[in-house]
Amino acid sequence: MTTIQASEFKAKCLALMDQVARTGQTIVVTKNGRPVAELRAHRPPRAKSLIGLHKGRIGIHGDIVSPIGSRLWEAMR
């Protein structure tokens, strides 16, 4: 982890953002020797659970409860 003073961060902000995006390395910004902020690469949040993952994307067409009939068994002979 790299540490940088706030005044230097202010002067090089855009270049540091590019560096973090490219390398993924976190930069700690300090003010008067104390850490006040971290600059790190953005990572999209991961799904917490698989339940509901495809909600709104999957639909049921037709009757899924009634028996499908004897045609399936005839096809398997």
Side-chain angles (χ1 to χ4, degrees):
M1 207 175 328
T2 305
T3 303
I4 190 169
Q5 295 177 357
S7 57
E8 186 178 354
F9 174 78
K10 182 178 176 183
K12 299 178 180 181
C13 178
L14 295 177
L16 292 170
M17 289 172 66
D18 291 338
Q19 175 186 334
V20 167
R22 186 177 61 253
T23 65
Q25 183 181 15
T26 301
I27 296 176
V28 176
V29 181
T30 62
K31 190 171 183 180
N32 297 325
R34 292 186 169 169
V36 293
E38 287 185 353
L39 179 62
R40 66 178 78 184
H42 174 71
R43 293 186 186 105
R46 289 186 277 164
K48 294 181 182 179
S49 172
L50 294 178
I51 297 172
L53 181 66
H54 294 289
K55 184 177 181 179
R57 295 182 183 185
I58 298 175
I60 298 172
H61 300 283
D63 186 1
I64 63 169
V65 179
S66 298
I68 56 175
S70 62
R71 287 184 285 153
L72 177 66
W73 299 110
E74 292 171 6
M76 296 181 77
R77 289 184 190 174

